[in-house]
Amino acid sequence: MTKKLDILRIAIAQLNPTVGDVAGNLAKAREARADAARQGADLVLFTELFLAGYPPEDLVLKPAFLKACERAAQDFAADTADGGPGVIIGTPLKRKSGTHNSIVFADGGKIIAERYKLDLPNYGEFDEKRVFQAGPEIQGPVNFRGVRIGIPICEDIWGDVAVCETLAESGAEILLVPNGSPYYRAKIDVRHQVVIKQVIECGLPIIYANQLGGQDELIFDGASFAIGADKTLAFQMSQFEDAVDVTTWKRTDDGWVCSEGPMSKIPDKEEADYRACMLGLRDYVNKNGFKNVVLGLSGGIDSAICAALAVDALGEERLRAVMMPYRYTSKDSLKDAEDCARALGCRYDIVPIFEPVEGFLHALTQLFEGTKEGITEENLQSRARGTILMAISNKFGSMVVTTGNKSEMSVGYATLYGDMNGGFNPIKDLYKMQVYALSRWRNSHVPPGALGPSGEVIPKSIIDKAPSAELRENQTDQDSLPPYPVLDDILECLVENEMGVDDIVSRGHDRATVARIEHLLYIAEYKRRQAAPGVKITRKNFGRDRRYPITNRFRDRG
C-alpha cells in the first residue's frame, strides 16, 4: 500500500516552449525536471500542450506531428524511472474518442494517467474546436504517491462546466491546472478572480501554472500562482520571466496548505505592457531565426519606441536604424533620429530618398498629367522608404520592424507597401496615447531582462513635438485626425467595447466626428488584413480578436 505523503513539493515549470519544436520542448522539459529534482521536488507541473507548444493551431491536423508529440511524451515518461519527480505535461493525443488537448501524468517510468480538456474555448484568440474534440467525460483525480490530484486543463476552470466541483466530489485533495493564458492588460487580476470563484465552489486549493513566451501575436506572461482553500494567495511567481519554482504543501486537518513558495511583485501596467512588447519582439525574431532587424527611424515617437524595444529585446548590435529624409523632413527630425540612435547605441544610416521619389514622379508624369498633386504623391515617399527597407532586409537578412500604432491602423493612417512593410510590429496594439505613456516610462526605467541602456533613450523633444508623417510642408497628424486623446477614446469605445454611436456621443464627443471615425475604421479593414502581425496588448486586437468583413456597408446611424 502506498504511504500517504504529508508534505508534497510541487515544482511549477513556467517555461517558454516553441510551437512545433517537439524535440526542443522535450529537452527543456528534461532540463526543468532535473532542476526540480535538485530542489527536492516530488512532482513537476508543466503548462498546457507544452510538448507541442501553444497554440499549435492546424499543426494538430497533421498525423506526423501528433505522433512526434506522443513519442516525446512516452520518452519523458520513461525518464521518471529514475525515482525522481513525477511529471504532468501537456500534449495533444489522438484517441478513439478524437484528438484531445491532453496531459499525461507520469511516474515510476510509465504514464499513470491521461486527462483530456473538456471545455474547448472558441472565442477571441481561441479556436480550439477547430482542431480538438472535447474530452468525453470528466475524469476523476489521479492517485500520486497517496495524494489524489485533480487536473482540469485551462478553460475547464474558466467556463460553465463544473469540472472543479466534480473533481472535489470525486475525492480530489488539490487541483493542478496547466494553462496557456495569453496576456492582455490586467489579465492577472482576471485569472485570480476566476480561480477564487472555483476555490469557493470546490473548497480545494488550486495551482495555476501558466506558459511563458511569445507566439506570433500572443504573449504568454507566466505569472503562475496558487489560491489556497482559504481563498488567499498562496504563492505568486514572476511575470515575463521563466522559472522552475518549487512550492511546499503540507497536509493538515483542513486539507493541503502551501507553507513555502515565491511571492513575486507584479509589474504595474506600463511596465507590463512594455515587457510584453519586448518579449513578443524578442521571441518572434529569435524563434523565426532572424539574426538582426532594421527599421526606419523618422524622428517620430512610434519609430523611436520601436527602436528602444528592439535594443532592449535584442541588443544594440542587432538593430540597424535608417533615416530616409526627403524635402519635407525637418532639421528637428534629423537631429531627433540621430540623438535617439546615439542614446540607444545602435547602428544609424542615412539614405536620402529624393532621387527614387523624383524618379517615380518623372515616370508617372504623362499618366498623371492634368491631375492635382495630393495623397498619391505623398504615398510615393512612404513607398520609396518601404522599398529601401525591404531591400536592406533582402540583402542582409534583417527582419523589418514596422512601427504603426493602433490608432493609425484603426483609421487607415498608414500606407500599404510603404510604412506598413515589415515582418513584425511590437506596438501594433498600442493606441497613440499609450505609446506616449510607455515612452515616458521607459525613459525613467530599465525593465528586467532589457539589453538597452538606462537613462533617456527617447529624446524628450520627440515626445513633446506634434506628431507628423512629414509628407508635405508643415503637416501634422491633427490636420486630418482629431487630437489623439479624443481619437483614442472614440476608438476604444468602438473597438474594445463595441459601443454604439449614441453612447459614444453621450460621453461628450461630436456626433459627426464619431461617425467619421467609425467610417474610417470600417474602410481600413482591407489594410489591416495585409498588415504585419504584432503583439496583443488589449482585450481586442486586430486579427485574432476582431474579425470584421472587408466588404461591409453597415454604419451605425443611431
Side-chain angles (χ1 to χ4, degrees):
M1 182 175 175
T2 304
K3 182 184 176 183
K4 282 189 176 182
L5 292 174
D6 291 323
I7 295 178
L8 183 62
R9 294 183 174 89
I10 303 173
I12 293 82
Q14 179 177 289
L15 302 175
N16 188 343
T18 299
V19 167
D21 185 9
V22 180
N25 296 338
L26 175 58
K28 278 181 183 286
R30 283 173 161 157
E31 185 180 342
R33 180 173 180 268
D35 184 3
R38 287 189 294 270
Q39 298 183 59
D42 301 301
L43 178 64
V44 188
L45 173 62
F46 290 87
T47 53
E48 184 176 12
L49 292 179
F50 185 87
L51 290 172
Y54 186 80
E57 300 185 274
D58 283 12
L59 276 173
V60 173
L61 304 177
K62 199 171 187 65
F65 178 69
L66 293 175
K67 288 178 183 177
C69 290
E70 181 154 10
R71 190 162 53 244
Q74 291 168 348
D75 290 347
F76 196 34
D79 292 351
T80 64
D82 62 7
V87 297
I88 298 171
I89 193 162
T91 185
L93 292 174
K94 187 173 180 61
R95 296 293 182 259
K96 288 182 180 179
S97 51
T99 301
H100 300 299
N101 180 335
S102 315
I103 63 93
V104 295
F105 199 144
D107 192 34
K110 61 184 180 181
I111 294 173
I112 61 173
E114 297 175 0
R115 293 293 181 266
Y116 313 131
K117 190 174 184 177
L118 285 105
D119 196 353
L120 301 178
N122 205 50
Y123 57 86
E125 65 266 38
F126 303 110
D127 52 5
E128 287 194 27
K129 288 182 179 179
R130 173 185 171 85
V131 295
F132 288 116
Q133 285 75 52
E137 59 186 9
I138 298 176
Q139 297 167 293
V142 180
N143 191 323
F144 172 73
R145 304 181 188 181
V147 183
R148 293 177 65 78
I149 297 174
I151 312 162
I153 301 173
C154 199
E155 192 72 13
D156 288 344
I157 71 167
W158 287 72
D160 296 327
V161 182
V163 179
C164 297
E165 216 172 341
T166 303
L167 285 167
E169 291 168 356
S170 303
E173 301 171 58
I174 186 170
L175 302 183
L176 275 57
V177 189
N179 295 271
S181 177
Y183 174 83
Y184 59 71
R185 194 174 297 118
K187 183 74 169 286
I188 290 178
D189 294 337
V190 177
R191 295 181 193 132
H192 283 184
Q193 291 306 310
V194 166
V195 174
I196 288 170
K197 179 176 182 289
Q198 293 293 349
V199 169
I200 290 170
E201 291 183 2
C202 73
L204 298 177
I206 296 178
I207 297 177
Y208 186 106
N210 194 35
Q211 180 175 304
L212 180 80
Q215 172 57 28
D216 298 342
E217 301 100 323
L218 300 180
I219 306 303
F220 298 91
D221 55 312
S224 304
F225 66 96
I227 301 293
D230 63 355
K231 302 179 283 297
T232 64
L233 187 66
F235 71 81
Q236 176 66 66
M237 290 175 64
S238 59
Q239 194 177 22
F240 304 111
E241 296 173 5
D242 60 0
V244 178
D245 285 344
V246 175
T247 64
T248 302
W249 294 77
K250 293 184 178 180
R251 188 193 297 273
T252 72
D253 292 340
D254 297 321
W256 288 92
V257 175
C258 183
S259 63
E260 188 177 353
M263 199 59 77
S264 299
K265 183 179 182 296
I266 296 302
D268 63 22
K269 62 180 182 179
E270 280 81 16
E271 178 180 344
D273 285 355
Y274 191 92
R275 291 175 70 180
C277 293
M278 190 173 81
L279 176 60
L281 179 59
R282 175 183 289 157
D283 275 3
Y284 191 87
V285 170
N286 290 340
K287 289 181 178 181
N288 285 292
F290 292 102
K291 292 181 179 178
N292 46 51
V293 297
V294 60
L295 60 75
L297 194 62
S298 67
I301 188 79
D302 297 323
S303 63
I305 196 172
C306 287
L309 283 163
V311 170
D312 283 341
L314 306 169
E316 62 186 47
E317 71 283 356
R318 296 178 68 186
L319 170 65
R320 181 199 295 256
V322 184
M323 159 57 88
M324 293 167 283
Y326 188 56
R327 65 176 68 188
Y328 304 120
T329 303
S330 68
K331 291 180 180 179
D332 287 344
S333 291
L334 283 163
K335 183 179 185 303
D336 288 341
E338 184 177 357
D339 288 348
C340 184
R342 186 181 295 113
L344 290 167
C346 63
R347 175 167 177 168
Y348 177 67
D349 296 305
I350 298 177
V351 181
I353 62 167
F354 181 83
E355 289 186 6
V357 172
E358 294 300 312
F360 280 128
L361 291 171
H362 179 73
L364 292 165
T365 298
Q366 189 172 345
L367 278 174
F368 286 3
E369 187 176 0
T371 65
K372 186 177 179 182
E373 189 171 308
I375 290 175
T376 300
E377 288 74 17
E378 292 177 17
N379 285 343
L380 282 175
Q381 299 166 51
S382 182
R383 293 191 171 114
R385 292 182 174 113
T387 299
I388 287 168
L389 290 174
M390 292 308 300
I392 294 170
S393 173
N394 291 161
K395 179 63 71 175
F396 301 108
S398 306
M399 188 199 79
V400 177
V401 174
T402 186
T403 61
N405 62 68
K406 190 171 187 175
S407 304
E408 295 173 350
M409 294 304 300
S410 296
V411 296
Y413 199 72
T415 305
L416 275 174
Y417 326 119
D419 57 314
M420 288 178 64
N421 278 0
F424 194 76
N425 182 350
I427 65 167
K428 181 179 180 179
D429 203 31
L430 290 175
Y431 289 107
K432 188 77 169 189
M433 298 312 295
Q434 292 166 351
V435 170
Y436 280 111
L438 265 59
S439 298
R440 294 187 185 96
W441 180 88
R442 177 58 183 89
N443 277 347
S444 303
H445 304 82
V446 180
L451 302 175
S454 60
E456 186 181 275
V457 294
I458 300 173
K460 188 172 181 295
S461 53
I462 290 179
I463 296 173
D464 290 344
K465 70 183 176 185
S468 171
E470 293 193 324
L471 298 176
R472 61 176 182 269
E473 202 70 53
N474 298 319
Q475 181 186 25
T476 67
D477 291 0
Q478 257 64 84
D479 294 342
S480 50
L481 296 173
Y484 278 113
V486 174
L487 176 63
D488 287 0
D489 188 66
I490 294 172
L491 289 172
E492 286 196 54
C493 292
L494 288 168
V495 177
E496 262 67 47
N497 301 316
E498 298 286 3
M499 289 170 61
V501 168
D502 286 346
D503 291 333
I504 301 173
V505 170
S506 71
R507 292 169 62 88
H509 294 294
D510 173 69
R511 180 174 293 277
T513 300
V514 174
R516 176 169 166 262
I517 297 306
E518 183 205 38
H519 177 70
L520 292 174
L521 176 67
Y522 284 149
I523 66 171
E525 184 63 35
Y526 80 100
K527 288 188 179 182
R528 291 190 290 271
R529 293 284 183 95
Q530 300 179 65
V535 175
K536 171 181 163 68
I537 294 293
T538 67
R539 284 176 177 262
K540 191 170 285 190
N541 75 332
F542 292 124
R544 280 188 175 268
D545 297 328
R546 187 182 188 276
R547 307 178 190 184
Y548 269 67
I550 295 173
T551 305
N552 169 26
R553 288 191 178 179
F554 176 77
R555 299 296 183 267
D556 182 3
R557 303 305 182 196

